[in-house]
Amino acid sequence: MQENNTLELGKNLVSIRDLSIDYTTDRGFLRAVDDVNFDVPQNKLIAIVGESGCGKSTLGLSIIGLLPIPPAKISHGSIIYRNQDLVLLGEKQRRLYRGTEIAMIFQEPLTSLNPVYKVGDQIAEAILIRERRRLRSSHLDSEVMQEVYDSRQPRTSRIPRIKRHIPKELSDEIIASLKLVRIADPEQVMERYSFELSGGMRQRIMIAMALSQKPSLLIADEPTTALDVTTQAQVLKLMKELMNEVNTSILLISHDLAVASQVADEVVVMYAGEIVERASVYDLFSDPLHPYTKGLLSCIPLGSKDETNLEPIAGSVPELLNPPKGCRFAARCKFAMEVCWQHRPRLIEAKANHKVECFLYGT
């Protein structure tokens, strides 16, 4: 199912076309992402939102090449990054992009950071991997590289062993990375372990590690889920500021539309593996079109005293092992028509730069 895109390919850092991702399970075949099309423009923050299990994280993992294979497999489609289709690359070629070009911040920083290594050692490892992949065209001279790498590592090991002593050249870059994410007293923080830090600090460390790779695209998978409201706001503001400072694009994956509203330039709404609406953040919140998007917005508290109750979306997400024939939201939609049960709607441009997959706006 092709669609016409209003943005030119040259203006997009990533262009995803007709992407479908399948899982093989004990119960049968499951399509987690179904015919997805969207773009990530240069130096923009795109938010992908939807309920748990709608395919958001699977989509993010497919871009960076971290899908669990098997059981996951890209059945068809393309992921064009700087005119290169990442789907066609082998694992060895993928590693040239993963980290150095495309980085990812995972949902829970405590499980992503190694508790037996100091913060400084882990950021040093990220920097050194970047330098190795860039054909050693680094500001670190050969003596420093020799000092940090343990040449006695087995050839099969892909991760360099970091010594306790970090050379000054590398230490300065680590401190600069920590300062970039607004960490006070970075010299002290780099000597601490992840379990000694708060949730907000650990998330900032994860952002610093990702940005130390100097990526063009940063994928943030639920980066504020484990944080309190105040820290969440600080991290979101920081990410938005850093996007402009380091000239990167951000793909934010979240189940929370309120989070997306604070930082996103454009919002992509997913439901049961499909994109059901795509628009600028202003258009989506001021004039949502799809009944599912309207339902998500009705679940957000207004933040003030109000006599009206929150209105949950009735029903549950359909079973993707046996998806419905027509619109996947029809069973939960109060506007469902006969055509909705028989045919799958297409993603159409209902108005300028605002796309929706719904028969209420045409066929």
Side-chain angles (χ1 to χ4, degrees):
M1 176 170 53
Q2 293 282 354
E3 62 162 303
N4 294 322
N5 289 279
T6 56
L7 291 172
E8 297 176 18
L9 184 61
K11 295 181 181 180
N12 296 322
L13 181 67
V14 179
S15 292
I16 294 176
R17 296 291 178 268
D18 306 316
L19 186 68
S20 292
I21 302 172
D22 301 328
Y23 281 84
T24 302
T25 72
D26 294 337
R27 296 174 54 201
F29 169 84
L30 182 152
R31 176 150 288 179
V33 173
D34 195 357
D35 246 348
V36 161
N37 292 269
F38 77 98
D39 304 303
V40 180
Q42 295 274 2
N43 199 220
K44 295 292 184 181
L45 197 156
I46 308 300
I48 301 179
V49 300
E51 292 172 278
S52 297
C54 70
K56 307 185 301 296
S57 294
T58 294
L59 182 57
L61 291 172
S62 71
I63 297 173
I64 199 171
L66 289 177
L67 284 173
I69 300 175
K73 179 184 179 181
I74 296 177
S75 58
H76 65 81
S78 60
I79 303 172
I80 308 298
Y81 171 81
R82 297 191 186 279
N83 299 319
Q84 171 64 59
D85 189 353
L86 301 180
V87 174
L88 302 178
L89 300 181
E91 179 58 25
K92 187 174 181 179
Q93 294 171 303
R94 274 274 195 170
R95 292 196 193 106
L96 300 176
Y97 292 90
R98 187 186 302 135
T100 49
E101 293 282 340
I102 304 171
M104 190 163 188
I105 302 170
F106 295 95
Q107 188 171 100
E108 177 46 70
L110 187 59
T111 58
S112 301
L113 294 170
N114 194 324
V116 301
Y117 283 94
K118 292 180 179 179
V119 165
D121 292 335
Q122 296 186 66
I123 299 177
E125 182 177 303
I127 294 171
L128 289 170
I129 291 175
R130 178 196 76 199
E131 299 304 326
R132 173 191 281 178
R133 291 178 181 171
R134 291 184 176 175
L135 303 177
R136 300 181 185 272
S137 58
S138 167
H139 68 281
L140 299 175
D141 58 33
S142 58
E143 292 182 3
V144 171
M145 292 293 288
Q146 182 65 34
E147 184 178 359
V148 181
Y149 282 107
D150 187 348
S151 60
R152 294 170 295 178
Q153 280 281 84
R155 285 184 153 224
T156 55
S157 176
R158 299 187 182 276
I159 303 298
R161 182 181 299 164
I162 305 298
K163 293 187 175 182
R164 284 187 177 277
H165 172 63
I166 297 177
K168 185 179 185 304
E169 293 87 346
L170 193 54
S171 178
D172 289 344
E173 187 167 352
I174 295 168
I175 291 171
S177 297
L178 294 175
K179 286 182 177 179
L180 188 65
V181 295
R182 316 294 191 263
I183 287 181
D185 199 5
E187 293 85 355
Q188 181 183 1
V189 171
M190 67 182 286
E191 293 297 322
R192 299 176 72 177
Y193 296 92
S194 58
F195 58 81
E196 297 180 294
L197 304 173
S198 67
M201 288 283 280
R202 287 194 293 263
Q203 195 60 277
R204 288 169 187 252
I205 299 299
M206 285 295 298
I207 296 173
M209 287 180 65
L211 293 179
S212 69
Q213 301 268 31
K214 300 181 179 178
S216 297
L217 175 65
L218 180 61
I219 302 171
D221 188 3
E222 302 276 11
T224 60
T225 298
L227 307 179
D228 61 74
V229 175
T230 302
T231 308
Q232 174 179 286
Q234 293 173 347
V235 170
L236 290 172
K237 181 182 178 183
L238 173 64
M239 289 178 62
K240 187 70 172 180
E241 292 173 351
L242 291 176
M243 185 184 75
N244 298 317
E245 286 185 31
V246 301
N247 194 31
T248 189
S249 298
I250 296 178
L251 186 64
L252 174 67
I253 298 170
S254 178
H255 66 276
D256 192 341
L257 269 172
V259 167
S261 70
Q262 297 179 51
V263 291
D265 296 301
E266 182 179 331
V267 180
V268 175
V269 182
M270 287 191 71
Y271 181 77
E274 301 176 348
I275 291 179
V276 296
E277 190 163 0
R278 183 178 121 198
S280 70
V281 65
Y282 175 80
D283 285 343
L284 190 93
F285 280 84
S286 62
D287 186 23
L289 300 181
H290 199 279
Y292 177 61
T293 308
K294 294 177 180 179
L296 290 178
L297 289 173
S298 70
C299 297
I300 300 175
L302 297 177
S304 59
K305 290 184 178 180
D306 198 311
E307 296 298 326
T308 60
N309 295 322
L310 297 180
E311 184 180 344
I313 302 174
S316 59
V317 179
E319 175 61 73
L320 293 182
L321 287 167
N322 185 28
K325 178 181 177 181
C327 174
R328 295 184 178 179
F329 189 64
R332 308 175 71 185
C333 180
K334 58 186 177 182
F335 303 107
M337 303 173 287
E338 184 63 30
V339 66
C340 302
W341 298 97
Q342 300 300 324
H343 301 282
R344 176 179 169 180
R346 297 181 299 111
L347 191 67
I348 63 170
E349 191 161 17
K351 57 182 185 177
N353 295 319
H354 194 147
K355 299 193 175 186
V356 62
E357 185 182 84
C358 184
F359 285 116
L360 291 173
Y361 304 94
T363 58

